[in-house]
Amino acid sequence: DAGVIQSPRHEVTEMGQEVTLRCKPISGHNSLFWYRQTMMRGLELLIYFNNNVPIDDSGMPEDRFSAKMPNASFSTLKIQPSEPRDSAVYFCASSKDSLNTEAFFGQGTRLTVV
Amino acid sequence: AQKITQTQPGMFVQEKEAVTLDCTYDTSDPSYGLFWYKQPSSGEMIFLIYQGSYDQQNATEGRYSLNFQKARKSANLVISASQLGDSAMYFCAMSRIITGNQFYFGTGTSLTVIP
């Protein structure tokens, strides 16, 4: 398996623009996570899907952030409108529904909002 | 609420020495998993080692071992014979099954290996 695939790897956008981050989880994994990593806040869980259904979105910072998982092989995280403080590395991770299975992380998307 | 605590923001270790990175957790669940991840400067998150809450023996993976003390709710990572390539951020995480597998991460410890 190719692992969790995120695109793009890097994104530079202007404040106010819409940004869409994409994730393809590992086939057969039931859970999908979006994390945001910054120096100030560390690794924050934004939202978590199980079987394509959002289970916990309490970490989504504002209404500007939205996430979808239309099927088992694809998820998006959208920021509209983007702000400079959204600059961070965004990770997608997936896992099977088993305690002894780790979360597999994608390479991350480094977002810079100028 | 589930919580993972890593109290060492930064650690230094001499090359070839052993180092222990601390992790404590808080949960009332009877079953849970404990994990350690490494994040080098290149940014990827690398899984290192897993310990189940019912496992009697401490997990080991090469130079990594997990010192699991259930009563103290601690899951410290021990790296033996440190190498320069071990310099990285290290994250402790806990998983629980509610609706699917949920993961909780600590704030991380930055390890620097000194030649």
Side-chain angles (χ1 to χ4, degrees):
Chain A
D1 201 317
V4 177
I5 300 173
Q6 291 187 247
S7 64
R9 290 291 310 278
H10 302 272
E11 176 81 29
V12 180
T13 190
E14 290 186 347
M15 182 174 64
Q17 296 298 306
E18 177 180 296
V19 175
T20 299
L21 311 182
R22 296 172 176 78
C23 175
K24 176 179 168 54
I26 293 174
S27 177
H29 283 192
N30 306 87
S31 295
L32 182 139
F33 312 86
W34 281 101
Y35 291 91
R36 178 173 68 176
Q37 187 176 32
T38 60
M39 289 292 292
M40 292 296 294
R41 293 176 171 269
L43 196 62
E44 302 174 273
L45 176 65
L46 300 178
I47 188 168
Y48 149 58
F49 293 87
N50 184 252
N51 293 322
N52 313 337
V53 176
I55 302 300
D56 183 359
D57 65 355
S58 59
M60 296 286 263
E62 300 171 33
D63 291 345
R64 299 184 295 107
F65 286 70
S66 63
K68 294 182 180 180
M69 191 165 185
N71 57 61
S73 59
F74 185 64
S75 177
T76 59
L77 178 67
K78 186 178 293 186
I79 308 173
Q80 165 64 17
S82 57
E83 297 182 3
R85 60 195 168 116
D86 301 331
S87 297
V89 177
Y90 291 80
F91 285 102
C92 176
S94 71
S95 173
K96 291 184 180 179
D97 286 351
S98 174
L99 269 181
N100 63 354
T101 303
E102 70 269 30
F104 291 77
F105 281 77
Q107 295 284 75
T109 294
R110 182 174 294 278
L111 173 66
T112 303
V113 183
V114 298
Chain B
Q2 325 306 312
K3 188 175 180 182
I4 304 290
T5 303
Q6 294 181 253
T7 57
Q8 306 154 314
M11 290 281 287
F12 292 86
V13 63
Q14 204 76 38
E15 194 178 6
K16 300 181 185 178
E17 297 293 311
V19 63
T20 298
L21 307 184
D22 294 342
C23 173
T24 58
Y25 59 92
D26 187 17
T27 183
S28 56
D29 291 358
S31 298
Y32 48 90
L34 296 161
F35 304 80
W36 278 91
Y37 286 82
K38 172 184 178 182
Q39 187 179 40
S41 58
S42 51
E44 70 268 32
M45 292 286 281
I46 302 167
F47 163 71
L48 295 178
I49 194 167
Y50 161 81
Q51 176 86 40
S53 60
Y54 285 113
D55 293 343
Q56 296 295 318
Q57 289 192 323
N58 287 340
T60 60
E61 288 287 347
R63 296 186 297 111
Y64 304 109
S65 60
L66 200 153
N67 185 357
F68 179 45
Q69 298 188 43
K70 193 170 184 178
R72 293 186 176 184
K73 294 188 176 178
S74 74
N76 298 339
L77 177 70
V78 180
I79 305 175
S80 62
S82 297
Q83 301 172 356
L84 296 179
D86 294 334
S87 294
M89 281 290 287
Y90 288 82
F91 292 93
C92 179
M94 183 182 72
S95 67
R96 62 197 290 251
I97 297 281
I98 300 295
T99 307
N101 203 1
Q102 300 188 29
F103 289 85
Y104 303 84
F105 282 83
T107 52
T109 295
S110 175
L111 176 67
T112 301
V113 180
I114 303 167

